[in-house]
Amino acid sequence: TGTPGEIWVSGPGVARGYWQDDALTEQRFAGGWLRTGDVGAKDDEGAIRVVGRTKDVIISAGMNIYAAELERAVLELPAVLEAAVIGASDDEFGETPAVLLRTASEVPTGEIVEHCRNRLSNYKVPRYVVFRDSALPRTSSMKIDKRILRAEYADLSEHHDRIGRTAS
């Protein structure tokens, strides 16, 4: 309860594998179970809440940060139109969270950081906040395309100021 983990499913309605893709089948299926790639946590009543994707986990100093959790916190701010969180290279922690966002009006970086600090553990607070004038790239299914963002911001830590480290 409360501990995030990958969601696996099994049952008569679950496929046995991917059609003509043995490598992907071996990667995603094990012993009749489908590894969904979703990360979930059970609540006290046994309901599972999806908290992120396995591909969308930032590992900072050995701690897992689920991008979706940080994105939800940032999107609570009324001026934020869209937000995406990616991992930025960090000499001290390996990776650290970076928020890429587009806003309807100016929002001070400090306000975004303080908002996150009030809702999340310190290690999850973004160390980079990058404002964009253009919309975040989307896939054909209208999800934010993090693959493009990771490529575009691969050297983010070299071109943007890191927000100061705070006490844990």
Side-chain angles (χ1 to χ4, degrees):
T1 300
T3 303
E6 184 176 12
I7 299 170
W8 289 32
V9 296
S10 180
V14 177
R16 287 186 251 158
Y18 288 97
W19 186 60
Q20 296 184 346
D21 195 335
D22 294 337
L24 189 56
T25 297
E26 187 174 318
Q27 178 186 8
R28 305 293 280 188
F29 290 83
W33 290 86
L34 166 63
R35 300 179 61 181
T36 67
D38 292 316
V39 176
K42 259 188 207 181
D43 65 18
D44 292 335
E45 297 174 6
I48 297 174
R49 180 175 56 95
V50 176
V51 297
R53 299 273 304 147
T54 56
K55 292 180 183 177
D56 219 5
V57 175
I58 299 160
I59 301 174
S60 185
M63 302 293 282
N64 291 346
I65 301 169
Y66 297 96
E69 182 180 16
L70 182 47
E71 289 163 356
R72 277 192 299 274
V74 172
L75 287 167
E76 290 174 356
L77 292 163
V80 175
L81 299 173
E82 54 184 359
V85 172
I86 61 172
S89 177
D90 187 88
D91 291 337
E92 186 176 0
F93 299 118
E95 277 188 304
T96 194
V99 175
L100 313 171
L101 50 87
R102 187 169 61 94
T103 59
S105 59
E106 192 170 316
V107 180
T109 298
E111 185 178 321
I112 293 166
V113 172
E114 190 60 27
H115 179 80
C116 292
R117 193 171 282 132
N118 290 331
R119 283 159 178 72
L120 304 167
S121 299
N122 185 58
Y123 70 94
K124 297 177 182 180
V125 173
R127 304 299 183 218
Y128 294 93
V129 177
V130 179
F131 294 91
R132 294 174 49 101
D133 293 326
S134 60
L136 295 171
R138 303 269 176 180
T139 65
S140 58
S141 61
M142 297 309 294
K143 292 181 182 180
I144 292 174
D145 194 334
K146 293 210 180 161
R147 183 183 46 80
I148 290 173
L149 290 173
R150 286 186 191 99
E152 185 177 340
Y153 291 96
D155 58 356
L156 183 143
S157 60
E158 296 172 23
H159 301 288
H160 294 276
D161 291 332
R162 186 182 189 277
I163 296 165
R165 194 171 162 214
T166 58
S168 296

